[in-house]
Amino acid sequence: MTEKPILLEIKDLQVHYNVRTGTVKGVDHVDLFVYEGETLGLVGESACGKSTLGRAVLRLVSEPGKIVGGQIIFDGEDLLAKDEHEMAHIRGKRISMIFQDPMTSLNPLQRIDQHFIETIRAHEKVSKAEALERAGVMFDHLGIQRERLNDYPHQLSGGMRQRVMIGLALILNSELVIADEPTTSLDVIVEAQILDLLKDLKQTYHMTLILISHNLGIEAELADRLAVMYAGKLVEVAPAQELFDEPLHPYTQALLASVPNIRLEDEELHTMRGSPPDLIHPPAGCRFHPRCPQAMERCRYEEPPYRQIHQNRWTACWLYED
Ligand code: SF4
């Protein structure tokens, strides 16, 4: 079987936040790759580092965060070696991002058509009329009437605004799209519509997608592979179905056990014990050991390496040493 080409490879990435009380290692020595054309789901509890990792790919980590080490190889080139001018050409054109909250990403004083015209003309030499026509075609794909291009953001519903954000991310045919909790602020019906839309557009635009979400139900709908983060570290990567059928890492097992399943009436819902650790002073050894029901003595002082267990599966846990 021929191996699929890799579009993005993150090597030993470290992102730190220097705060008054110390250094938060938001992303701590993470290695991860994304195949061309796949949807990679990035999951974990709040503040585990998944959004920081997504933003780091575009070098858009929020202050006081800083990328302090590693490489981000996109299409064979290290994005961390590029100057700001080169990155400005890559952002939006070759890699784009769908943010959590469209209201804070759209300019409330600008009509929607102006957002599209500016985005297109920032990267391509086309007339306003051509840019507007492309925005109209995109609105057809998004299932929004073209005349709504004349609206201001506040005149659109939450679902429509999120569709607009998706349209802006795809309008330049980016090779890689990073969607950070794209349905968080939506009700379940609109959420389902947005997920269907993402599925359709992924086929139409042949994009590679990194889907960041704390919601495993959403990931089950869309992801080909899943990467699980805990306390700034990657703890498991696997094809989505294999991970749902047989999670290896005790954290992944606990995460899956805490998702309610309405098909199983009498099933007990498990809550994960303890809380995520303080990332300024994380636990020694395996960071999950204070919450892990399978922790062994060595887990308290020796950190398990993140390594390949068998084809397509990686984890960081002493239970799989052999
Ligand atoms: Fe649990 Fe130990 Fe594995 Fe960490 S290394 S997940 S503490 S068994």
Side-chain angles (χ1 to χ4, degrees):
M1 201 175 77
T2 43
E3 188 79 349
K4 284 182 262 176
I6 290 173
L7 180 64
L8 178 78
E9 188 166 12
I10 294 167
K11 293 182 178 177
D12 198 30
L13 187 69
Q14 300 145 63
V15 183
H16 291 180
Y17 293 86
N18 287 320
V19 294
R20 196 174 45 79
T21 45
T23 298
V24 175
K25 293 179 179 172
V27 173
D28 197 10
H29 298 283
V30 164
D31 294 293
L32 181 66
F33 63 83
V34 184
Y35 291 121
E36 206 175 294
E38 78 167 335
T39 296
L40 178 84
L42 199 49
V43 300
E45 290 166 293
S46 297
C48 68
K50 54 191 190 306
S51 290
T52 300
L53 181 58
R55 282 176 165 270
V57 172
L58 278 165
R59 290 191 15 207
L60 287 177
V61 177
S62 317
E63 286 289 331
K66 290 229 169 356
I67 298 172
V68 296
Q71 290 180 300
I72 299 173
I73 314 288
F74 174 67
D75 197 20
E77 294 185 74
D78 185 4
L79 298 182
L80 299 186
K82 299 214 171 280
D83 62 31
E84 199 36 54
H85 179 71
E86 292 171 309
M87 272 314 288
H89 280 287
I90 290 171
R91 280 188 210 113
K93 173 68 181 161
R94 300 194 63 198
I95 308 176
S96 51
M97 190 145 188
I98 303 167
F99 293 97
Q100 288 184 17
D101 181 3
M103 250 341 234
T104 54
S105 309
L106 296 169
N107 181 345
L109 302 177
Q110 254 188 354
R111 288 191 333 227
I112 300 299
D113 58 351
Q114 291 167 312
H115 286 83
F116 278 92
I117 290 168
E118 270 183 18
T119 303
I120 296 170
R121 281 164 52 96
H123 294 280
E124 296 179 18
K125 287 192 172 66
V126 295
S127 68
K128 280 188 181 174
E130 280 175 78
L132 193 56
E133 175 54 25
R134 273 170 64 180
V137 172
M138 176 55 79
F139 260 45
D140 295 342
H141 287 307
L142 296 173
I144 309 177
Q145 291 168 324
R146 288 190 184 206
E147 54 263 33
R148 302 304 297 266
L149 276 164
N150 298 321
D151 286 355
Y152 287 89
H154 73 271
Q155 293 174 290
L156 303 178
S157 66
M160 273 192 205
R161 281 197 291 267
Q162 195 53 283
R163 282 169 193 259
V164 167
M165 290 303 297
I166 292 170
L168 283 167
L170 300 185
I171 194 71
L172 293 168
N173 249 323
S174 296
E175 294 134 85
L176 175 64
V177 175
I178 302 166
D180 187 6
E181 306 273 8
T183 59
T184 291
S185 54
L186 306 174
D187 64 54
V188 285
I189 294 173
V190 181
E191 177 180 282
Q193 292 167 350
I194 295 287
L195 293 181
D196 285 345
L197 178 70
L198 272 175
K199 266 190 223 166
D200 290 347
L201 292 176
K202 191 171 177 300
Q203 298 298 327
T204 310
Y205 289 89
H206 307 291
M207 63 179 171
T208 303
L209 179 65
I210 297 178
L211 179 63
I212 300 168
S213 181
H214 66 281
N215 185 329
L216 288 167
I218 288 174
E219 298 290 7
E221 285 275 319
L222 286 177
D224 300 309
R225 288 193 307 142
L226 284 172
V228 184
M229 284 190 80
Y230 182 76
K233 293 203 170 268
L234 212 52
V235 296
E236 182 162 4
V237 173
Q241 198 55 55
E242 286 184 37
L243 186 130
F244 284 120
D245 290 345
E246 191 200 350
L248 297 181
H249 195 280
Y251 174 65
T252 316
Q253 292 166 4
L255 207 58
L256 290 177
S258 64
V259 177
N261 185 343
I262 55 170
R263 290 195 199 97
L264 302 174
E265 282 177 18
D266 300 325
E267 193 198 29
E268 194 186 337
L269 183 62
H270 300 272
T271 50
M272 206 180 306
R273 69 182 190 187
S275 326
D278 166 8
L279 287 186
I280 296 178
H281 305 291
C286 171
R287 288 187 179 180
F288 189 57
H289 86 252
R291 305 172 77 186
C292 180
Q294 298 175 71
M296 302 166 280
E297 186 52 29
R298 70 183 306 189
C299 304
R300 297 176 209 287
Y301 52 86
E302 273 187 82
E303 185 176 340
Y306 173 74
R307 58 199 182 90
Q308 191 165 13
I309 302 300
H310 51 81
Q311 201 195 10
N312 292 329
R313 299 206 67 165
W314 284 258
T315 196
C317 175
W318 289 124
L319 291 173
Y320 305 96
E321 195 180 5
D322 303 316

